[in-house]
Amino acid sequence: MNRRLTKRIKVLVLGIIGIFLILIIIREINTFRVNALWKSVRKECEQKGLSFDFRDIIPDQVPKDKNFAYVAPLKPLLEYKPDGVTPLNLEEHEAALNFLNVPEDGNWSSSLGSNGPELYHGHDLSSVQKFFRDNGIELWSQPEDAGEPADDVLLAIGKVSEGLRLLANGSKQRPFYRIDSRYEVKNFDKVKDIENVIGNASNFSPHRNAQWWFNIRSLAHLENGNVNSAFSDLKMSIFLAELNKNELGLFSQLYRIALMKLALVPLWEGLAKKSWSPDQLDSLQDILGSINYLEGMESAMRFERQLLNQIHHYLGGLLDHRPDNFTASLASFGVPIALVGNGSFRLKPLKWFYISPSAFINGSQARTNELYLKYFEGIVDLKSRRIIPDEARKFGRYFEEEDFDKLHPYNFLISLFFSNPVPAAKKIGEMQNLVDQARIACALEVYYLKKGKYPERLNELGTELPHDVFTGESYYYVHESEGRYRIYGVGWNLKDDGGEVNAEKSQSGKLSDKEPLDLIWQNFPVSFSDQ
């Protein structure tokens, strides 16, 4: 009896050992397979010229005396104590943060801009005048009796004119921009230095505030016929909008286009009033022609890829040199604790028994670069200067497919750091179209000043013109009547809706991927009640 029991125990023990050996073999085979996959993906990336050195994506250095980030009123924003968190001079730091603050009033402070994603309208300065007078006649140097809106607004702006002068002079002496503190990385194998690049982005508030004042003053000068002053303020507005063109990350690019949309308001106003001179129009064409949001989009996507590669590189180094620290962040086997903790990521650790720590790193990094090769590379085509909506949608659908497991360890870091490119590609493409159309509008005004009329077709302008970034085709041009025209592109849905506008959606600014709405620039205001 005892012999039989002993024999059964031995068989059971051997069975358990056998099972564990089989599990270990499965895990080792998976580790080997995933490592081979990662080497294959890396080789493919390198053959296509994709770098794995994070330093390759860091913007070139700019001499401090040429760097607008160090302009006197804003310089304290870059000065910190050795801990990198505490401002060197708290009082000066606060003053820089609040430099040229825009007075807050819900009735008008956010009204400077288009009523929708594609239409521009004349801006009524009377609401700004009213605020300044209501807020304090003496505070804003207002006359006892209200005068012309533009006159009173210019009087109010006089209060901040010295700050505007400092920035305008600074832009001439410092034409470049770079947040040096963001890229003072000593060791990319340290999490702190990686976080420095991610989190130490530009503080946009001072730029946004200053641009608001330049825009309002440009509009007031246009109203009063001071075209040269209006043009100088418009160029400064565009300069502020373009400061972040070389800064890393999608947020920097989206903020860049948000500011440019505001800069187009006085530009449009000057076109609608036929205020700009031929030389000014030629200058605007050069400025607008140099703006390339597609390069910014492509750079932002490369940044996300490089960031994820650097994180994987850090985890690999931690596994090699400090394995205890690495495995302390893991549950059983190689699964990150975040995947087995509380909340929606709660899983049974043994579900991923076959994933070793090195398999997790290599599998996750292989998946990251596979996705970039398969989807991201095709979204922006810099050579043909196009954004391909269908390619962006493929990536969006990838995450929506039933067989995509968001909880799989290989997808964990992707879910944290990869952005869905559809909303960004749509916004950036639409803004590039608007800038292109503004550039064409300037060429149309030059033609008008020479001929006294607008052409019937764009090819009569006799100059090379940009094309629709979504289709690669020429923009549509409609000469509606004497003195009126429309320029439009088909937009994200790739459908020609004849330049028609959904007025209700334009007013709300809420658009969906499926709405039939063309991207339009026209030289006359629109009454939505007429739509």
Side-chain angles (χ1 to χ4, degrees), residues 15 30 32 45 80 82 103 108 110 124 140 144 152 259-261 273 288 298 331 358-359 364 431 469 484 489 519-520:
N30 182 70
F32 178 81
C45 289
Y80 288 88
W108 61 269
S110 62
D124 183 9
W140 294 104
E144 185 175 342
D152 289 355
L259 291 188
M260 179 55 71
K261 192 167 187 177
K273 292 178 180 292
L288 296 172
E298 192 267 347
S358 63
S364 177
M431 196 61 216
V469 298
R484 287 192 169 198
L519 301 173
I520 300 171

Side-chain angles (χ1 to χ4, degrees), residues 102 109-114 120 123 207-216 218-219 233-234 237-238 241 255-269 293 431 434:
V102 175
S109 62
S110 62
S111 65
L112 179 59
S114 63
Y120 286 80
H123 190 80
H207 303 160
R208 182 188 65 233
N209 292 338
Q211 192 207 34
W212 188 91
W213 290 106
F214 279 112
N215 282 338
I216 289 294
S218 180
L219 289 166
D233 284 343
L234 170 60
S237 175
I238 296 175
Y255 203 87
R256 176 189 172 197
I257 67 174
L259 291 188
M260 179 55 71
K261 192 167 187 177
L262 297 176
L264 290 179
V265 177
L267 188 153
W268 180 92
E269 189 81 11
Y293 294 121
M431 196 61 216
L434 282 176

Side-chain angles (χ1 to χ4, degrees), residues 351-369:
K351 181 177 181 180
W352 311 113
F353 75 90
Y354 58 88
I355 298 179
S356 65
S358 63
F360 163 66
I361 296 170
N362 291 332
S364 177
Q365 191 165 14
R367 183 73 55 83
T368 296
N369 287 274

Side-chain angles (χ1 to χ4, degrees), residues 32-46:
F32 178 81
R33 180 187 64 80
V34 171
N35 183 52
L37 172 64
W38 162 231
K39 288 181 179 179
S40 174
V41 172
R42 177 167 185 142
K43 183 178 180 180
E44 183 181 357
C45 289
E46 290 173 339

Side-chain angles (χ1 to χ4, degrees), residues 6-20:
T6 302
K7 185 176 181 181
R8 288 178 180 176
I9 292 174
K10 288 181 179 180
V11 170
L12 180 61
V13 171
L14 290 174
I16 293 172
I17 292 174
I19 291 172
F20 270 103

Side-chain angles (χ1 to χ4, degrees), residues 60-77:
D60 294 335
Q61 286 190 336
V62 173
K64 285 189 176 182
D65 61 344
K66 299 293 183 182
N67 190 347
F68 189 78
Y70 292 95
V71 70
L74 304 180
K75 184 180 178 182
L77 294 176

